[in-house]
Amino acid sequence: MGNIFVKKPKITDVDRAILSLKTQRRKLAQYQQQLEKVIEAEKQAARDLVREKRKDRALLALKKKKAQEELLKQVDTWLINVEQQLADVELSSKQKAVFESLKAGSNAVKAIQSEINLDDVQKLMDDTEEAKAYQDEISAILGEKLSAEDEEEVLAEFDNLEAELDLQDMPEVPTTALSPEEEKLDLPDVPSKAPVASRVADDSEGISSAEISRKKKVLEEPLAA
């Protein structure tokens, strides 16, 4: 069912000519085979007649054989002509196909070229050449070995850049003067009483001194008898 609507290829005059020549070649080849069989048969018959001492019949067989051989030569010539004609037709057909392909390719090239502006192409080539020259210059610079003096200059420039960056990172110094309210510090008041911890420490020191005096007095009194 799927092949019903398939479009059949168109048969051209060239296709018909090639088919006719191939058919003629096949028929001539078959005729060659028949003639070769007849020639072999006449040759064998002549041998038999010679063996039988029948000279007249043997000469007749050889004459027939000779005629068939001449006809075979003519068929060979025909076959060569057919082969040559077939080769010429096939070659011409291929040449035409190549010509059509070249023609289509040429038309495609023309169509593409019509879409390309020569000014744009020239600009693109110029840009490409400039980019290549710039890249070559960079490669040449990177490929050169710096002298000791150049190395020192590079290090000095690096130090300068580093110092500039450090200065940029430092906080800015205020340029406006402070108001009297901003200059007055908000400090806590001075306490008028002694701290509690100081009083506790003083009491502890007084108790310790009285206790020490009492113990000393007890030690100095004489013991009762």
Side-chain angles (χ1 to χ4, degrees), residues 142-167:
L142 294 177
E144 292 179 356
K145 185 177 180 181
L146 298 178
S147 62
E149 184 179 357
D150 293 335
E151 290 285 352
E152 292 178 358
E153 292 180 358
V154 170
L155 292 176
E157 185 176 1
F158 175 79
D159 293 338
N160 292 333
L161 291 175
E162 191 175 24
E164 291 178 3
L165 293 176
D166 291 340
L167 291 176

Side-chain angles (χ1 to χ4, degrees), residues 171-219:
E172 297 181 357
V173 179
T175 57
T176 57
L178 297 177
S179 61
E181 289 78 6
E182 293 176 340
E183 291 180 352
K184 184 178 181 181
L185 298 177
D186 188 10
L187 298 176
D189 297 334
V190 179
S192 58
K193 296 181 180 180
V196 177
S198 299
R199 295 199 302 269
V200 173
D202 294 340
D203 293 342
S204 299
E205 291 178 357
I207 294 172
S208 299
S209 299
E211 184 67 23
I212 293 172
S213 298
R214 186 181 63 81
K215 290 182 178 182
K216 182 177 181 181
K217 186 177 181 181
V218 171
L219 293 173

Side-chain angles (χ1 to χ4, degrees), residues 52-118:
E52 295 174 0
K53 305 298 183 183
R54 300 173 62 181
K55 182 178 179 180
D56 294 339
R57 301 291 296 178
L59 291 175
L60 181 59
L62 291 175
K63 289 179 181 180
K64 291 172 64 176
K65 170 181 168 295
K66 185 66 174 177
Q68 295 298 322
E69 288 176 348
E70 293 296 329
L71 183 57
L72 181 60
K73 291 180 181 180
Q74 187 65 37
V75 172
D76 290 340
T77 303
W78 293 344
L79 186 57
I80 291 173
N81 293 334
V82 171
E83 290 282 2
Q84 185 63 44
Q85 188 69 27
L86 181 60
D88 293 340
V89 173
E90 289 180 342
L91 179 60
S92 299
S93 178
K94 293 183 182 299
Q95 288 176 344
K96 181 181 178 181
V98 172
F99 172 76
E100 293 295 337
S101 299
L102 293 175
K103 183 179 179 180
S106 177
N107 293 333
V109 171
K110 290 180 180 179
I112 294 173
Q113 289 177 346
S114 64
E115 299 176 359
I116 300 175
N117 190 351
L118 293 179

Side-chain angles (χ1 to χ4, degrees), residues 16-27:
R16 293 188 181 93
I18 292 175
L19 179 62
S20 176
L21 289 171
K22 287 183 177 180
T23 301
Q24 191 64 33
R25 182 182 62 183
R26 176 175 54 82
K27 290 181 178 180

Side-chain angles (χ1 to χ4, degrees), residues 118-135:
L118 293 179
D119 294 336
D120 295 339
V121 174
Q122 186 62 42
K123 184 176 182 303
L124 177 61
M125 296 301 294
D126 293 340
D127 293 342
T128 303
E129 187 65 24
E130 290 179 3
K132 184 178 181 300
Y134 182 72
Q135 183 62 39

